Amino acid sequence: MFEPVLLRNMEVPDGHLLATYEAGGGYQALAKALREHTPDEIIDLVKQSNLRGRGGAGFPTGMKWSFVPKRAGKPKYLCCNADEGEPGTFKDRLIMERDPHQLIEGMAISAYAIGAETAYVYIRGEYVLAIRRLEQAIAEAHAKGYLGTRILGSDFSFVVHIHCGAGAYICGEETAMLDSLEGKRAQPRLKPPFPAVEGLYASPTVINNVETLACVPHIVARGPGWFRGIGPEGSPGPKLYCLSGQVLKPGLYELPMGIPLRELVEDHAGGPPPGRKIKAVIPGGVSAPLIPERGLDVRMDFDSLAAAGSMLGSAGVIVIDDSTCMVKVATRIIEFFHHESCGKCTPCREGLNWVVKVLRRVEAGQGTPGDLEQLEALCKGIFGNTFCALGDGAAMGLRAALAHFEHEFVAHIKERRCPFH
Amino acid sequence: MNMREKIEAAAARYPDQRSAIMPALLIAQKEYGYLPGPVLEEVADILGVERIWVYELATFYTLFHTAPVGRFHLQLCDNVSCMLRRSEDLLGHLEAVLGIERGGTTPDGLFTLSTVECLGACEMAPVMQVGDDYLGNLDIARIDALLDRLR
Ligand SMILES: NC(=O)C1=CN([C@@H]2O[C@H](COP(=O)(O)OP(=O)(O)OC[C@H]3O[C@@H](n4cnc5c(N)ncnc54)[C@H](O)[C@@H]3O)[C@@H](O)[C@H]2O)C=CC1
Ligand SMILES: Cc1cc2nc3c(=O)[nH]c(=O)nc-3n(C[C@H](O)[C@H](O)[C@H](O)COP(=O)(O)O)c2cc1C
Ligand code: SF4
Ligand code: FES
């Protein structure tokens, strides 16, 4: 049996309070880091652990930290990405609601490693309970000297501020987040320069996802070898999987990286409702191309899913059973991306507008035989030609739906109606 | 703290006043319920920033309302995970019993009904946000009970 690491306080009553966190050994990793390690040693530990970013792209965390210039002559910043807008994803919310000190401890150690004295947590504004719990936790940590000046008698000083988002998915894209933090409309910036070199207020800035930061205290406490021993060599560690859609037991599951998708869906989440069969699974939030049932033996880690033509993304696993129309699912996904397009670049702004029109027409039984080629042509115009990954994600998702479920699109056009209604 | 003091406290968290526009708008919206032009100007004056910067943000982000909303804002998620658990039936039901379409407000000003993108609570789909609270695992009976309670 796999012992939960990140979720160990999830079901504990008052798991969000400092006393509970301390009783389970909380903040001892911070004390150890400050007492026994230099900042560079912490970066090395995280590198050795091979922790990869849990926000979706899987970039090696220790490597990202090492890009922060040592002598910048400017303040450095840590930003925690708690915008969590990817449909199908709810892991960061539950960490912040049920175990916010785990995140604060992770931020304090990470800030020490990169030399930041200020952090901003960018939380989506809808997460009212998470915001309240994190505010309380920050106040408690201050009162006990885990945050503030000269933490635990060291030379390290550090404060955490909360910045609430206001309902725009694009703010989760790290450079759009920086613009939003600077008080501008959130639109992605050109990379490079990467934020680690030039980010918030043009200062070196590390942006990490909530789950990524929550892993850090455990790596310091138990060592990088322990972390690397869980799951596959190339993308190790404990992992949070968000199960939703047409499964019997939706919820948040913590299991090793690399668990087969089938085991996750059928054994842990109970499989589809009685009498139903799984048709497809979206493994990493709607930005990740869907996987048809026959592909469910793929392992849930960055490399295996990329090899299978999809991605781990945010590990938002959405299960779709055989009662559902794939044209409808694809349409809803593209409507989402179209709605959330920031409008900066033409292929995404205009291309998705056209894709939505064609898809709605096909779904309503008013499509024509040329529509599928037109969709393919539109995907081609979008993919690889957009400023940020939002446009790419939309095009990849639609292409997967067209490739695996072409017969459903064709049936809508031939029968001039939705065969599922 | 009055609104000005709250906004000034928020602004102290940033090296640049412009960064405080978003938090200031959230504070102002709590105070006034929505953000009409004069409120936006007040926010700009308190922070000493360009008015256009404030207008820009108030219209870019969906959580800011430049027009009034009902006393209870029902925000039903219709993204994929909720759709797979039949949120559209709930939308139809809400439209029928409230006598409004999505985006509308009841004539008594009690309810505004909107659909929203994923609320990040798909484990309890279908989900609706009402004010600050998330209500999950919804069905028609629970919706009816909720409306009775709010009325
Ligand atoms: N969690 C969520 O709610 C969502 C997650 N996503 C995920 O976001 C991913 C795309 O994110 P991006 O930030 O566009 O990916 P990216 O690959 O551009 O960057 C990933 C991270 O690595 C850093 N990085 C990459 N190369 C670097 C270099 N040479 N030097 C310094 N730093 C470097 C970036 O700054 C960033 O922090 C998708 O895979 C998707 O799964 C997308 C939407 C929502
Ligand atoms: C459109 C878009 C939305 C994103 N939304 C999020 C998000 O909500 N949360 C998140 O952690 N990363 C999100 N990302 C990824 C971030 O840009 C960035 O890669 C991540 O925060 C880095 O943290 P990590 O290395 O710890 O994963 C998004 C990327 C794109 C392109
Ligand atoms: S791809 Fe879309 S979301 Fe990204 S910058 Fe272009 S318009 Fe904006
Ligand atoms: S899809 Fe409705 S809460 Fe995520």
Side-chain angles (χ1 to χ4, degrees):
Chain A
M1 256 304 271
F2 176 75
E3 274 283 312
V5 181
L6 301 167
L7 297 189
R8 71 198 186 296
N9 284 337
M10 236 1 77
E11 304 303 332
V12 179
D14 291 334
H16 60 286
L17 298 180
L18 179 58
T20 321
Y21 189 65
E22 284 178 323
Y27 288 106
Q28 285 173 19
L30 174 62
K32 182 177 174 198
L34 296 177
R35 198 177 52 234
E36 295 175 17
H37 296 291
T38 64
D40 279 345
E41 284 169 14
I42 302 288
I43 296 181
D44 272 340
L45 285 181
V46 173
K47 273 189 180 163
Q48 286 163 28
S49 76
N50 208 3
L51 169 64
R52 294 175 62 179
R54 295 337 193 203
F59 194 82
T61 305
M63 194 193 294
K64 178 151 76 182
W65 294 2
S66 70
F67 292 144
V68 174
K70 295 281 173 251
R71 264 177 287 280
K74 284 183 180 175
K76 296 165 195 164
Y77 294 102
L78 175 68
C79 291
C80 171
N81 193 342
D83 198 46
E84 194 157 69
E86 181 72 9
T89 315
F90 44 85
K91 63 193 178 67
D92 301 341
R93 185 190 104 243
L94 287 167
I95 292 180
M96 294 186 288
E97 285 180 0
R98 310 264 179 96
D99 200 359
H101 284 286
Q102 186 175 207
L103 173 60
I104 295 172
E105 184 174 17
M107 280 197 283
I109 298 170
S110 308
Y112 172 67
I114 63 166
E117 295 194 338
T118 307
Y120 295 98
V121 185
Y122 194 107
I123 309 188
R124 57 181 299 183
E126 294 88 343
Y127 280 4
V128 178
L129 179 60
I131 292 165
R132 204 182 304 141
R133 289 264 165 94
L134 196 60
E135 270 170 357
Q136 283 169 357
I138 290 169
E140 277 187 308
H142 255 284
K144 271 287 197 96
Y146 298 126
L147 292 174
T149 41
R150 302 187 58 86
I151 293 170
L152 302 175
S154 71
D155 289 337
F156 172 59
S157 301
F158 176 59
V159 292
V160 178
H161 300 299
I162 292 178
H163 187 97
C164 296
Y169 169 74
I170 195 61
C171 290
E173 197 282 335
E174 55 176 11
T175 60
M177 169 172 297
L178 296 175
D179 269 9
S180 184
L181 272 166
E182 291 178 5
K184 301 169 191 155
R185 281 158 56 194
Q187 292 192 316
R189 301 176 181 175
L190 202 62
K191 296 195 274 193
F194 284 92
V197 177
E198 196 181 315
L200 188 62
Y201 310 118
S203 287
T205 304
V206 164
I207 300 154
N208 275 127
N209 173 259
V210 172
E211 185 187 349
T212 311
L213 293 166
C215 288
V216 172
H218 306 289
I219 292 170
V220 171
R222 306 196 202 187
W226 160 81
F227 193 86
R228 248 197 357 257
I230 300 169
E233 181 72 24
S235 64
K239 180 72 192 99
L240 301 181
Y241 301 99
C242 316
L243 271 292
S244 70
Q246 287 155 332
V247 275
L248 284 180
K249 295 187 284 178
L252 185 61
Y253 294 83
E254 181 177 6
L255 289 159
M257 271 280 193
I259 180 173
L261 178 54
R262 188 180 298 284
E263 189 180 325
L264 190 58
V265 170
E266 291 181 354
D267 300 348
H268 294 279
R276 289 287 164 203
K277 287 198 196 88
I278 294 173
K279 178 144 98 179
V281 176
I282 295 173
V286 300
S287 297
L290 60 80
I291 294 178
E293 199 281 335
R294 64 179 178 278
L296 292 195
D297 295 314
V298 64
R299 290 184 175 274
M300 293 292 286
D301 61 75
F302 292 109
D303 304 328
S304 306
L305 278 158
S310 186
M311 64 182 190
L312 180 62
S314 62
V317 179
I318 306 174
V319 182
I320 301 165
D321 76 23
D322 58 355
S323 68
T324 299
C325 169
M326 293 311 288
V327 178
K328 185 171 174 183
V329 172
T331 306
R332 190 63 202 83
I333 291 174
I334 301 296
E335 283 173 345
F336 165 74
F337 284 120
H338 173 238
H339 182 247
E340 298 298 333
S341 167
C342 80
K344 180 166 180 151
C345 62
T346 316
C348 170
R349 185 188 62 235
E350 303 298 326
L352 291 180
N353 191 32
W354 278 107
V355 175
V356 166
K357 277 189 187 155
V358 177
L359 281 173
R360 283 189 181 150
R361 166 163 98 206
V362 173
E363 194 199 357
Q366 289 151 12
T368 57
D371 280 351
L372 298 190
E373 280 131 64
Q374 199 181 353
L375 286 175
E376 186 42 52
L378 284 163
C379 285
K380 200 166 161 227
I382 297 169
F383 187 79
N385 297 320
T386 60
F387 204 82
C388 83
L390 184 146
D392 282 347
M396 284 189 310
L398 179 56
R399 276 182 164 163
L402 284 168
H404 297 298
F405 294 97
E406 191 186 356
H407 53 283
E408 291 194 17
F409 289 82
V410 170
H412 281 73
I413 294 170
K414 275 207 179 127
E415 296 174 31
R416 308 205 123 262
R417 64 180 189 94
C418 174
F420 289 87
H421 285 136
Chain B
M1 278 202 276
N2 64 27
M3 187 176 98
R4 172 181 283 273
E5 287 161 350
K6 280 186 201 155
I7 290 178
E8 283 166 354
R13 302 197 295 255
Y14 306 93
D16 182 349
Q17 295 283 296
R18 189 170 181 177
S19 289
I21 299 174
M22 262 175 98
L25 288 174
L26 287 168
I27 292 166
Q29 184 159 284
K30 263 233 143 69
E31 192 83 15
Y32 292 101
Y34 74 113
L35 299 168
V39 173
L40 299 181
E41 283 155 27
E42 190 184 349
V43 165
D45 292 344
I46 293 174
L47 291 174
V49 297
E50 301 286 341
R51 286 181 176 179
I52 183 74
W53 294 350
V54 178
Y55 294 141
E56 195 179 42
L57 296 202
T59 51
F60 183 81
Y61 294 102
T62 54
L63 293 191
F64 296 137
H65 304 296
T66 49
V69 287
R71 191 146 82 88
F72 301 108
H73 192 182
L74 310 179
Q75 305 187 78
L76 180 70
C77 173
D78 68 350
N79 212 301
V80 178
S81 301
C82 286
M83 182 187 94
L84 293 171
R85 291 186 164 246
R86 311 214 58 88
S87 63
E88 63 194 322
D89 294 354
L90 304 182
L91 177 64
H93 182 71
L94 279 164
E95 287 180 331
V97 296
L98 296 174
I100 52 175
E101 298 202 339
R102 76 168 111 176
T105 300
T106 52
D108 59 3
L110 209 49
F111 297 106
T112 296
L113 176 63
S114 310
T115 52
V116 291
E117 301 296 6
C118 178
L119 287 166
C122 331
E123 83 278 22
M124 44 167 145
V127 193
M128 183 162 76
Q129 184 170 17
V130 183
D132 285 353
D133 298 325
Y134 276 19
L135 304 172
N137 300 313
L138 288 173
D139 53 27
I140 284 175
R142 294 179 87 137
I143 296 248
D144 288 342
L146 169 77
L147 294 181
D148 282 347
R149 189 157 54 78
L150 296 179
R151 282 187 178 124

